[in-house]
């Protein structure tokens, strides 16, 4: 514990800095800390941390087929991917000019969730931990070194908790905004806006421009930008040419620490 926090010296506003406890020569301590222009990181979940977008697509296709409807792979990735479970079924039924009652919608979502977990089990990924992309855990730890970290996702809270708890990473996140926490999902900015509000309360300042969003889809990027956030995209789901609205793009979440280092040293 530093005795006089006001006396700590930061060499720069970002990058690696050294700070020294201004005590006596016998107990003076110098600590290297990560100082960044970013106060917090807000992760999307599916497609950024969790490698399960194809599983979600197959689960949606299975339930849609039971209702006599189809969702092609192209349609899913071109349009439906950023949607929450509820928004996808609403949009699908509206597009097909089918009536969808609230009780029926909830039942469809429950069947889709059941199918999602069954597919994971069938593919030997039912432990949850194996659903994460390589390097996701390291990226989470890197982001947590900057300050509080958050998730803003169209996934259900139970799905997020299951995967993160299985990997021993749930306690890293101070804020989780899931599908059921908002009225309007992505590409509307509400999930990011709510995450920003919660982080502002936690940190005690208004920090939109100092919170970094990480996304994998065009719809997610648009939501982040509409919320006033700088956005880093990862090429897990789409290639770079389809992520041009992001401020920066990296090949995978495994490159996050290297990207952050390069930004700090630039």
């Amino acid at each position: 514990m530093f005795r006089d926090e006001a006396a700590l010296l930061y060499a720069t506003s970002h990058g690696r800095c050294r700070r020294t406890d201004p005590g006596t020569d016998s107990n003076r301590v110098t600590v290297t800390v990560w100082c960044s222009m970013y106060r917090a990181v807000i992760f999307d979940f599916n497609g950024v941390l969790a490698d399960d977008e194809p599983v979600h697509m197959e689960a949606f296709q299975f339930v849609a087929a039971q209702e006599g409807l189809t969702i092609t792979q192209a349609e899913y990735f071109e349009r439906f991917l950023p949607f929450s479970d509820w928004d996808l079924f609403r949009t699908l039924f509206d597009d097909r000019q089918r009536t969808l009652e609230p009780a029926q919608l909830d039942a469809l979502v429950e069947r889709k969730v059941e199918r999602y977990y069954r597919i994971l089990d069938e593919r030997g990924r039912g432990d949850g931990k194996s659903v994460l992309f390589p390097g996701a855990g390291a990226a989470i730890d890197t982001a947590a070194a900057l300050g509080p970290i958050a998730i803003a996702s169209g996934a259900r809270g139970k799905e997020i908790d299951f995967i993160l708890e299985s990997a021993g990473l749930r306690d890293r996140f101070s804020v989780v905004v899931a599908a059921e926490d908002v009225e309007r999902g992505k590409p509307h900015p509400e999930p990011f806006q709510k995450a920003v509000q919660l982080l502002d309360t936690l940190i005690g300042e208004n920090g939109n421009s100092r919170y970094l969003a990480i996304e994998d889809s065009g719809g997610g990027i648009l939501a982040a930008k509409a919320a006033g956030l700088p956005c880093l995209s990862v090429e897990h789901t789409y290639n770079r040419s389809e992520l041009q609205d992001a401020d920066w793009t990296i090949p995978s979440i495994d490159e996050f620490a290297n990207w952050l280092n390069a930004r700090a040293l630039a």
Side-chain angles (χ1 to χ4, degrees), residues 10-262:
Y10 286 80
T12 179
S13 62
H14 59 85
R16 288 196 180 276
C17 315
R18 299 183 75 79
R19 69 184 188 179
T20 302
D21 178 354
T24 64
D25 289 340
S26 62
N27 66 6
R28 183 171 292 139
V29 179
T30 300
V31 179
T32 300
V33 296
W34 180 260
C35 303
S36 173
M37 65 185 70
Y38 304 116
R39 291 294 308 277
V41 176
I42 307 174
F43 291 93
D44 178 36
F45 191 67
N46 307 113
V48 170
L49 298 176
D51 183 12
D52 61 353
E53 288 289 14
V55 178
H56 281 285
M57 179 186 70
E58 289 182 39
F60 280 122
Q61 289 174 324
F62 179 85
V63 174
Q66 292 180 324
E67 300 296 316
L69 302 173
T70 59
I71 303 173
T72 67
Q73 179 174 314
E75 187 176 25
Y76 180 80
F77 284 101
E78 289 173 6
R79 185 178 183 202
F80 291 134
L81 183 142
F83 292 176
S84 70
D85 292 0
W86 290 270
D87 287 343
L88 189 148
F89 282 121
R90 285 192 194 100
T91 305
L92 177 65
F93 272 67
D94 186 60
D95 284 354
R96 298 339 187 230
Q97 298 182 333
R98 291 269 299 270
T99 301
L100 182 60
E101 300 296 334
Q104 184 186 4
L105 173 60
D106 289 339
L108 289 171
V109 170
E110 290 305 316
R111 282 158 52 195
K112 179 265 174 180
V113 171
E114 180 181 345
R115 186 63 183 175
Y116 168 83
Y117 284 115
R118 179 166 300 202
I119 295 172
L120 289 180
D121 284 337
E122 290 172 351
R123 297 182 184 174
R125 303 173 70 192
D127 63 347
K129 181 178 180 180
S130 61
V131 177
L132 293 175
F133 279 104
I140 290 168
D141 286 339
T142 297
L146 302 177
I149 58 175
I151 285 173
S153 173
R156 289 161 55 105
K158 289 182 180 179
E159 295 168 3
I160 296 170
D161 288 345
F162 165 67
I163 293 170
L164 292 179
E165 286 171 0
S166 298
L169 295 167
R170 179 60 182 85
D171 62 352
R172 306 289 202 282
F173 291 89
S174 302
V175 170
V176 173
V177 178
E180 57 268 39
D181 298 321
V182 297
E183 294 183 5
R184 294 163 294 185
K186 300 173 188 176
H188 193 278
E190 185 180 352
F192 283 113
Q193 290 170 336
K194 184 159 187 177
V196 166
Q197 290 171 356
L198 294 170
L199 287 170
D200 282 348
T201 300
L202 191 65
I203 294 174
E205 65 177 54
N206 186 330
N208 287 50
S209 64
R210 298 191 66 195
Y211 301 157
L212 176 70
I214 305 182
E215 269 288 351
D216 72 308
S217 71
I221 293 166
L222 291 176
K225 301 297 286 182
L229 297 166
C231 186
L232 171 69
S233 65
V234 293
E235 294 183 275
H236 289 162
T237 311
Y238 301 94
N239 61 44
R240 187 174 297 256
S241 65
E242 298 171 283
L243 301 170
Q244 293 182 359
D245 289 326
D247 297 286
W248 311 276
T249 301
I250 55 177
S252 70
I253 198 64
D254 194 36
E255 291 294 318
F256 177 61
N258 290 336
W259 175 84
L260 199 62
N261 273 316

